[in-house]
Amino acid sequence: MKMAALRWVLLVAFLVAAGHGAEASRIRHYRWEVKYEYRSPDCFRKLVITINGQSPGPPILAQQGDTVVVDLKNSLHTENVAIHWHGIRQIGTPWSDGTAGVTQCPILPGETFTYKFVVDKPGTYMYHSHYGMQRMGGLYGSIEVAVADGVQEPFSYDAVYSLLLNDWYHKSTTEISTDISTVRFEMDGMDDMGGMGGMGGMGGMGGMGGMATMGGDPQSLLIEGRGRYNCSSMDSMGGSCNMTNPECAPHFITVTPGKVYRLRIGNLASTSSLSFEIEGHDMTVVEADSNYVEPFTLKSLYTYPGETYSVLFKANQDSRRNYWISTNIALSESSTPTGVAILNYDSNPSRQAPATMPPAGPSRGDVAAGLAQSLAIKAHRDHVIRPPRRTDRLITLLITQNTINGFLRWSVNNISLVLPQTPHLIALNEKYAKRASNSTPMLPDVYFPSDYDIFRPPPHRKTSCGTSVYHLKFGSVVDVILQNANTMYPNSSELHPWHLHGHDFWVLGYGLGLFDPSKDSSKLNLVDPIMKNTLPLFPFGWAALRFVADNPGVWIFHCHIDPDLFLGMGVIFEEGVDRVGNLPKSIRGCGQSKY
Amino acid sequence: MKMAALRWVLLVAFLVAAGHGAEASRIRHYRWEVKYEYRSPDCFRKLVITINGQSPGPPILAQQGDTVVVDLKNSLHTENVAIHWHGIRQIGTPWSDGTAGVTQCPILPGETFTYKFVVDKPGTYMYHSHYGMQRMGGLYGSIEVAVADGVQEPFSYDAVYSLLLNDWYHKSTTEISTDISTVRFEMDGMDDMGGMGGMGGMGGMGGMGGMATMGGDPQSLLIEGRGRYNCSSMDSMGGSCNMTNPECAPHFITVTPGKVYRLRIGNLASTSSLSFEIEGHDMTVVEADSNYVEPFTLKSLYTYPGETYSVLFKANQDSRRNYWISTNIALSESSTPTGVAILNYDSNPSRQAPATMPPAGPSRGDVAAGLAQSLAIKAHRDHVIRPPRRTDRLITLLITQNTINGFLRWSVNNISLVLPQTPHLIALNEKYAKRASNSTPMLPDVYFPSDYDIFRPPPHRKTSCGTSVYHLKFGSVVDVILQNANTMYPNSSELHPWHLHGHDFWVLGYGLGLFDPSKDSSKLNLVDPIMKNTLPLFPFGWAALRFVADNPGVWIFHCHIDPDLFLGMGVIFEEGVDRVGNLPKSIRGCGQSKY
């Protein structure tokens, strides 16, 4: 790295000027207030959950080894909140993971909760609400952790920008969560539902499940919290919409010809797999989920909800004009318009819109292209962390769509995740009597009925709710095979980005169809696999990952599509909970922990 | 009472048939689930907070001396809840009063909380959320407590119906609470604001404060949860609105010619003083806030939010047609249309709308008529409970509109009420260290700066927030004089219905202008005052009440207009909190009570 990003230069300059020693620079203290405010991120005015008035919230800027402290005041009037620090492993601080029902009680209105954790690994992270579906309401932001002093990254650049990608719905989060809680499975009505035509077969993604339950596509896509809704559309819901509102002017980044830039890209969309392009500029992928990637170049980057990437690009095009930065819904048909920002060459007006059309992204149905990108991501040759050669436990998770009382749910090995009143971390650490858990169905390591065909709707529709805890032997090596399947609707399977808390895992492989141990096991990458915290499970496909259960705590592993988690798509891993020690009192107050 | 209401006959018949003894009949056990559901109470579809699918929630039907048990499951996704049993004194069970921040921590999503209390006094009661402004979202219902076996009421009737009155807004509660939290006081903009014209002077009620902050008048008025919004209006906010939806067909009650009916009327409007009429039929007021009234007859009944009444009427009109039952916003100008139900004479189709226009109610500006009705309400001659002759403590509460950081607030003796994180009942009963309370301003028994003129905007705009606790000597007699004043806007004062928890109080008197002890004290009614739990404080007026502080607990005394309480209009009375004994653990979990 020849020259640090300007913001880091300024930060360091400030710290030096202020006379802080190395010790003092290690605490990054934020004071945040969460509340509802009216905002027009895509020109349509609605209530947004803000942090200190902002959505996305203030970026957290830290350096490897720093301690981040966030005093979070909940100024919502009747809603609780909890914030997850996505990608931060919370080693030694499992109570700061911010997952309501798993690692803490939710933060009540009026209360201030302090999150405190060490950012031990440089990289590109994010934060967002992990309570209900509040992330959809705008409660999210970015975390950048710079390398420690004197550490070289395996690439160099002149400056860095952060670009958070998101999708945006005009309904309130309460409306959407009510909608998706009450989707009845009606085979009779299927022919009337859109999104199915010509999408059958292996690569097809039906537009039925998540999207249909959401009441359709998102209204817009946001880059750094800014999007553009066509206010003249019929779908304006009668609210206030003003396309000249400066709040929805596109975000821009300014570049100098000849310089190289790092973009930290995070996908915090609620439902959308996204492609990302910079008009006329190639990008080189150098980081994925805060792990260094053996560089490769592409024109369009696929990103799935929960993933982060760093890409480098050189400002090497005609500098007399600006260029579009664009994001599109990827791998499925959608009516959502392209989300844009502006790449501004510094000799032009910063907000000058290019005369060109924004890039429309790759072909929507090309799942093979998405799979190829994911397969291409390997650990950087100088940063390979070799996985253990053998596993101690293999857990195969079959992801299915089912019903409970006629309402759609998602299941993992036929159990649909519900979170308990007493957060798992508290209940397990303090060995509460498990009154309810005796009646909770056991989650098996493998579940695959003999009549199951992943290419057909599930033969057995009904599922049960459960708390879905896997107890892992501390320090053991765990493999997980995620197996996708057909939804309740014929010829339909959806992409699910799975995110593991508390860990990076090795991505051992991906494939389409049913995982075949005899055939596929030998193809797993044990040589130079990338480590990630989120990976895509492709439609009708499988994914294999490995991790070491060496981080004492209780960690959720779940699909990062908000409605999918909401409807049960996740499991819980407990490891070494006895080693956690005394829990902070501040995480208590719900379920049995109020006594 | 010649013949009990049909529902009671059926209930008794059921209990007898089921072989329940007298003992068994004393427990009324309800299991409720609270959640959001789409409803169209006034033909406009929006999210409503329902109980077991209903809004208003299921009526509670009990008999004097019964124990009511409600297992309340909160199935909202991110919002807490608490339910107050309005008018029930909670003698011996102050932790069941359901006032979040005062008597309990709020009930978290997923949790089930059990309310248990004795209904020791027959009458007409209500229940509603006492958390944030959720009552506006539809979380309310009625409670009827019949007299004990063998007890005669001082009037008779053939059947009884319950009619809950409410106002209805199309915005979500979250939107409204955000709106009213962010109203800036802008003198410059005043001329543009409506509702002021020709309303100056003593009897005038400016349309500024509560109404302006709410974003205008309610969209409709509901009777038993049903209203009628003109879907062709421009104000439909783009949502789904269908005037043929059976959900918004008017409520009806069926009568037989010659019979006498009791109507139990409750006003749970969020903001609206209401008049109530039965076209062509006189009504005799016999009960107010569950206390017997010396009967008097009227054509139109004024009711203020938080009040209940029973009226009798005889089905003595032409039985070949139906009649309108109507409610209108009273005492202030409003664009809200008349709310209607149908009085159905049993020979006609029950839903046949009368060809006449619904009664429009009394003249909107006639505060004198409202005052006259309140002054006319005395205790029934055979049910007079004489108040103590002398008081031990006189507290004068000056109600003013002020600002904090430029935002509108309401104050009582210049303190704007905020509720603490640790509910008062827990903090005071368990003698928690009052960390914050040292910095809380003391609420004086009297506050009246020498330059204060109640007919002008407050000379000092600024107010402070406080927890506003009055510690009352147990068993002492307490008088409260409520003194209304001009709002921040010239020639504007608003009606505030004040509701006391844990008590009935004697209504000693009302007047207009500044209370003058030398002149007005002698006019107070110590002979046959009605006891109530809610009384109207008229614009620019005063009201005087007396109660005995003999119910161990902590009780809020507040304006029952939702936005007014939300912006600080209330105080807390503590009495005999040391006598309460051990509190149930279920009310804990917030503030210091989570440890």
Side-chain angles (χ1 to χ4, degrees):
Chain A
M1 187 169 75
K2 286 184 178 163
M3 183 179 133
L6 182 60
R7 63 175 102 181
W8 287 110
V9 172
L10 289 174
L11 177 63
V12 170
F14 168 78
L15 291 170
V16 170
H20 288 264
E23 199 61 29
S25 73
R26 296 291 175 197
I27 303 281
R28 309 284 177 177
H29 200 150
Y30 295 85
R31 287 179 185 84
W32 287 357
E33 183 180 15
V34 172
K35 58 172 151 175
Y36 275 110
E37 297 184 84
Y38 286 100
R39 291 288 183 273
S40 303
D42 68 347
C43 307
F44 177 84
R45 186 170 182 265
K46 63 168 280 192
L47 281 183
V48 173
I49 308 181
T50 62
I51 298 174
N52 295 352
Q54 303 172 43
S55 173
I60 288 183
L61 306 177
Q63 193 176 15
Q64 181 178 8
D66 285 356
T67 297
V68 171
V69 179
V70 179
D71 298 321
L72 186 80
K73 178 168 188 197
N74 178 5
S75 289
L76 306 178
H77 295 124
T78 54
E79 286 183 54
N80 307 310
V81 76
I83 289 191
H84 170 58
W85 317 95
H86 184 107
I88 307 294
R89 292 170 296 173
Q90 302 290 353
I91 296 168
T93 54
W95 47 78
S96 276
D97 191 49
T99 310
V102 180
T103 65
Q104 69 168 106
C105 294
I107 307 164
L108 274 69
E111 292 194 345
T112 297
F113 182 92
T114 297
Y115 290 100
K116 186 174 178 181
F117 51 87
V118 173
V119 286
D120 59 314
K121 190 155 120 357
T124 305
Y125 303 92
M126 308 185 284
Y127 63 83
H128 59 82
S129 172
H130 217 298
Y131 187 62
M133 296 207 301
Q134 283 173 339
R135 186 177 113 218
M136 298 188 83
L139 190 46
Y140 67 102
S142 63
I143 305 173
E144 294 182 37
V145 180
V147 291
D149 293 344
V151 173
Q152 285 286 110
E153 293 190 284
F155 46 85
S156 61
Y157 52 93
D158 297 296
V160 58
Y161 289 108
S162 177
L163 293 180
L164 271 179
L165 313 181
N166 196 9
D167 49 12
W168 196 245
Y169 292 84
H170 289 175
K171 284 189 173 184
S172 73
T173 306
T174 309
E175 288 172 319
I176 293 173
S177 46
T178 304
D179 289 345
I180 70 163
S181 309
T182 53
V183 176
R184 286 201 169 273
F185 176 71
E186 305 284 4
M187 280 303 289
D188 296 344
M190 281 197 50
D191 292 342
D192 299 333
M193 294 176 136
M196 300 282 301
M199 303 200 64
M202 281 280 292
M205 299 182 63
M208 304 303 307
M211 286 303 170
T213 60
M214 298 291 303
D217 296 322
Q219 274 68 52
S220 55
L221 300 178
L222 310 185
I223 299 180
E224 280 295 288
R226 290 160 177 272
R228 201 154 186 77
Y229 179 71
N230 182 354
C231 293
S232 62
S233 155
M234 290 303 291
D235 194 22
S236 74
M237 298 177 67
S240 172
C241 197
N242 175 5
M243 294 180 74
T244 66
N245 187 332
E247 284 183 36
C248 58
H251 182 73
F252 65 87
I253 59 174
T254 299
V255 295
T256 299
K259 300 281 189 188
V260 173
Y261 294 87
R262 175 182 191 170
L263 292 183
R264 294 184 184 269
I265 298 165
N267 181 340
L268 273 180
S270 298
T271 65
S272 305
S273 298
L274 297 170
S275 62
F276 175 87
E277 290 187 39
I278 309 171
E279 185 188 9
H281 295 71
D282 286 343
M283 300 178 284
T284 300
V285 179
V286 295
E287 182 207 19
D289 294 3
S290 304
N291 291 284
Y292 296 123
V293 170
E294 181 63 21
F296 64 102
T297 297
L298 39 66
K299 190 174 166 49
S300 181
L301 174 75
Y302 290 104
T303 72
Y304 307 102
E307 285 190 326
T308 68
Y309 287 96
S310 282
V311 298
L312 303 183
F313 75 93
K314 189 166 187 179
N316 58 6
Q317 298 298 305
D318 180 353
S319 65
R320 291 168 301 176
R321 54 161 289 201
N322 289 342
Y323 296 83
W324 290 114
I325 296 169
S326 76
T327 187
N328 285 282
I329 290 186
L331 303 187
S332 67
E333 295 301 322
S334 162
S335 62
T336 307
T338 301
V340 297
I342 292 174
L343 178 70
N344 164 237
Y345 274 77
D346 58 8
S347 54
N348 308 314
S350 55
R351 293 189 180 279
Q352 188 175 70
T356 49
M357 287 288 288
S363 163
R364 295 296 173 98
D366 197 355
V367 170
L371 176 61
Q373 178 188 304
S374 289
L375 286 169
I377 299 173
K378 314 279 186 196
H380 188 282
R381 65 185 65 186
D382 299 333
H383 292 266
V384 173
I385 300 172
R386 291 288 283 271
R389 300 300 302 263
R390 281 187 291 192
T391 188
D392 296 311
R393 184 170 178 184
L394 172 63
I395 297 172
T396 303
L397 301 179
L398 176 65
I399 314 306
T400 58
Q401 203 178 40
N402 306 78
T403 62
I404 291 180
N405 300 325
F407 294 109
L408 277 187
R409 295 284 302 186
W410 290 103
S411 295
V412 180
N413 288 0
N414 211 33
I415 306 290
S416 190
L417 178 69
V418 290
L419 296 175
Q421 283 313 115
T422 310
H424 285 294
L425 179 62
I426 302 175
L428 294 171
N429 179 259
E430 302 185 1
K431 298 189 174 56
Y432 286 161
K434 298 176 197 170
R435 288 180 213 162
S437 67
N438 292 335
S439 61
T440 291
M442 271 293 291
L443 188 64
D445 277 16
V446 179
Y447 168 85
F448 205 87
S450 59
D451 58 352
Y452 210 100
D453 179 348
I454 65 159
F455 297 106
R456 293 176 179 279
H460 317 290
R461 286 184 186 171
K462 285 189 186 170
T463 191
S464 312
C465 284
T467 50
S468 303
V469 180
Y470 284 110
H471 296 278
L472 305 179
K473 189 176 172 217
F474 187 72
S476 65
V477 179
V478 178
D479 278 16
V480 177
I481 309 284
L482 288 160
Q483 178 64 58
N484 213 339
N486 204 103
T487 68
M488 297 287 277
Y489 304 91
N491 302 316
S492 158
S493 182
E494 299 183 356
L495 189 145
H496 301 292
W498 277 75
H499 172 61
L500 177 59
H501 291 211
H503 292 276
D504 285 354
F505 51 74
W506 289 277
V507 179
L508 302 187
Y510 302 92
L512 297 180
L514 182 65
F515 180 80
D516 179 346
S518 65
K519 189 168 54 106
D520 295 320
S521 296
S522 59
K523 288 189 261 174
L524 300 181
N525 179 4
L526 297 174
V527 178
D528 59 356
I530 187 73
M531 297 194 81
K532 291 180 100 262
N533 58 61
T534 305
L535 60 64
L537 174 61
F538 289 95
F540 293 112
W542 57 265
L545 60 93
R546 177 169 293 182
F547 67 97
V548 182
D550 58 358
N551 189 9
V554 186
W555 312 106
I556 191 170
F557 178 47
H558 66 95
C559 176
H560 213 269
I561 291 176
D562 248 0
D564 291 354
L565 171 59
F566 191 78
L567 294 182
M569 201 187 295
V571 297
I572 306 292
F573 291 134
E574 176 273 315
E575 61 202 55
V577 74
D578 294 335
R579 300 168 183 247
V580 165
N582 290 333
L583 301 173
K585 289 178 174 177
S586 58
I587 67 171
R588 305 172 68 85
C590 55
Q592 293 178 72
S593 75
K594 70 175 66 171
Y595 303 135
Chain B
M1 187 168 73
K2 284 181 181 166
M3 182 179 132
L6 181 60
R7 65 175 101 180
W8 288 110
V9 173
L10 289 174
L11 177 64
V12 170
F14 167 78
L15 292 170
V16 170
H20 288 265
E23 199 61 29
S25 72
R26 296 288 177 199
I27 303 282
R28 310 284 178 177
H29 201 150
Y30 295 85
R31 287 179 186 84
W32 288 357
E33 183 180 15
V34 171
K35 58 170 147 175
Y36 274 109
E37 297 183 84
Y38 285 100
R39 291 288 181 273
S40 303
D42 68 347
C43 307
F44 177 85
R45 186 170 183 263
K46 63 167 280 190
L47 281 184
V48 172
I49 309 181
T50 62
I51 299 173
N52 295 351
Q54 302 171 45
S55 173
I60 288 183
L61 306 175
Q63 192 176 16
Q64 182 178 8
D66 285 355
T67 298
V68 172
V69 179
V70 179
D71 298 322
L72 186 81
K73 176 166 190 198
N74 178 6
S75 289
L76 306 178
H77 295 126
T78 54
E79 286 184 54
N80 306 310
V81 75
I83 290 191
H84 170 59
W85 316 93
H86 184 107
I88 307 294
R89 292 170 297 174
Q90 301 291 354
I91 296 168
T93 54
W95 47 77
S96 277
D97 191 48
T99 311
V102 180
T103 65
Q104 69 168 105
C105 295
I107 307 164
L108 273 70
E111 291 195 347
T112 297
F113 183 93
T114 298
Y115 290 100
K116 185 175 179 180
F117 52 87
V118 174
V119 288
D120 59 314
K121 191 155 113 9
T124 305
Y125 303 92
M126 308 184 285
Y127 64 82
H128 59 82
S129 171
H130 218 296
Y131 187 62
M133 297 207 301
Q134 283 173 338
R135 186 176 114 219
M136 299 188 83
L139 190 45
Y140 68 102
S142 63
I143 305 173
E144 295 181 36
V145 180
V147 292
D149 293 344
V151 173
Q152 285 286 110
E153 294 190 283
F155 48 85
S156 62
Y157 52 93
D158 297 297
V160 59
Y161 290 109
S162 178
L163 293 180
L164 271 179
L165 312 181
N166 196 8
D167 49 13
W168 196 246
Y169 291 85
H170 289 176
K171 283 189 173 183
S172 72
T173 306
T174 309
E175 288 172 319
I176 293 172
S177 47
T178 303
D179 289 344
I180 69 163
S181 308
T182 52
V183 175
R184 288 202 168 271
F185 176 73
E186 305 284 3
M187 280 302 289
D188 295 343
M190 281 194 52
D191 293 343
D192 298 333
M193 294 175 135
M196 301 281 303
M199 300 199 67
M202 282 282 293
M205 297 182 64
M208 304 303 308
M211 287 303 170
T213 60
M214 298 291 301
D217 296 323
Q219 274 68 52
S220 55
L221 300 177
L222 310 185
I223 300 180
E224 281 295 288
R226 290 160 175 272
R228 202 154 186 77
Y229 179 71
N230 183 354
C231 293
S232 61
S233 155
M234 289 303 291
D235 194 21
S236 73
M237 298 176 65
S240 173
C241 196
N242 174 6
M243 295 180 75
T244 66
N245 187 331
E247 284 183 37
C248 57
H251 182 73
F252 65 88
I253 59 174
T254 300
V255 295
T256 300
K259 301 283 189 188
V260 173
Y261 295 87
R262 177 183 190 169
L263 291 184
R264 294 183 184 269
I265 298 164
N267 180 341
L268 273 181
S270 297
T271 64
S272 306
S273 298
L274 297 170
S275 62
F276 176 88
E277 289 187 42
I278 311 172
E279 185 189 10
H281 295 71
D282 287 343
M283 299 177 285
T284 300
V285 179
V286 295
E287 182 207 20
D289 292 3
S290 304
N291 290 284
Y292 297 124
V293 169
E294 181 65 18
F296 65 102
T297 297
L298 40 66
K299 191 173 165 47
S300 181
L301 174 75
Y302 289 104
T303 73
Y304 307 102
E307 285 191 326
T308 68
Y309 287 98
S310 282
V311 300
L312 303 182
F313 75 95
K314 190 167 187 178
N316 59 6
Q317 298 298 304
D318 181 353
S319 66
R320 292 168 301 179
R321 54 162 289 201
N322 290 343
Y323 296 82
W324 291 112
I325 295 170
S326 75
T327 186
N328 285 283
I329 289 186
L331 304 186
S332 66
E333 295 301 324
S334 162
S335 62
T336 307
T338 302
V340 297
I342 292 173
L343 179 70
N344 163 238
Y345 275 75
D346 57 8
S347 55
N348 308 313
S350 55
R351 293 189 180 279
Q352 187 176 70
T356 49
M357 286 289 288
S363 162
R364 295 296 173 98
D366 197 354
V367 170
L371 177 61
Q373 178 188 302
S374 289
L375 286 168
I377 300 172
K378 314 280 186 197
H380 188 282
R381 67 184 64 187
D382 299 333
H383 292 266
V384 172
I385 300 171
R386 292 288 284 271
R389 301 300 303 267
R390 280 187 291 193
T391 188
D392 296 312
R393 184 170 177 182
L394 171 63
I395 297 172
T396 303
L397 301 179
L398 176 66
I399 315 306
T400 57
Q401 202 177 40
N402 306 78
T403 62
I404 291 180
N405 301 326
F407 294 110
L408 278 186
R409 295 284 303 185
W410 290 102
S411 296
V412 180
N413 288 0
N414 211 33
I415 306 289
S416 190
L417 178 70
V418 289
L419 296 175
Q421 283 313 113
T422 311
H424 285 294
L425 180 62
I426 301 175
L428 294 172
N429 179 259
E430 301 185 1
K431 298 188 174 58
Y432 287 162
K434 299 174 196 172
R435 290 181 211 159
S437 68
N438 292 334
S439 60
T440 292
M442 272 291 291
L443 189 63
D445 278 17
V446 179
Y447 168 85
F448 205 88
S450 59
D451 58 351
Y452 211 99
D453 178 348
I454 66 159
F455 297 107
R456 293 176 179 279
H460 316 291
R461 288 184 186 171
K462 286 189 188 170
T463 190
S464 312
C465 284
T467 49
S468 303
V469 179
Y470 284 111
H471 296 277
L472 305 179
K473 190 177 171 217
F474 187 70
S476 66
V477 179
V478 178
D479 278 15
V480 177
I481 309 284
L482 288 160
Q483 178 64 58
N484 212 336
N486 203 105
T487 68
M488 298 286 278
Y489 304 92
N491 302 315
S492 158
S493 183
E494 299 182 356
L495 189 145
H496 300 292
W498 278 75
H499 172 60
L500 178 59
H501 291 212
H503 291 276
D504 285 355
F505 52 74
W506 289 277
V507 179
L508 301 188
Y510 302 93
L512 298 180
L514 182 64
F515 180 80
D516 180 346
S518 64
K519 190 169 56 106
D520 295 320
S521 296
S522 61
K523 288 189 261 175
L524 301 180
N525 179 4
L526 298 174
V527 178
D528 58 355
I530 187 71
M531 297 193 80
K532 291 181 100 263
N533 58 60
T534 306
L535 60 63
L537 174 62
F538 289 96
F540 295 112
W542 58 265
L545 61 92
R546 178 169 294 180
F547 67 98
V548 182
D550 59 358
N551 188 9
V554 185
W555 310 106
I556 191 170
F557 178 47
H558 66 94
C559 175
H560 213 269
I561 291 176
D562 249 0
D564 291 354
L565 171 59
F566 190 79
L567 295 182
M569 202 188 295
V571 298
I572 306 292
F573 291 134
E574 176 273 315
E575 61 203 56
V577 74
D578 294 335
R579 299 167 183 246
V580 165
N582 290 333
L583 300 172
K585 289 179 173 176
S586 58
I587 67 172
R588 305 172 68 87
C590 55
Q592 293 178 69
S593 75
K594 70 174 65 170
Y595 304 134

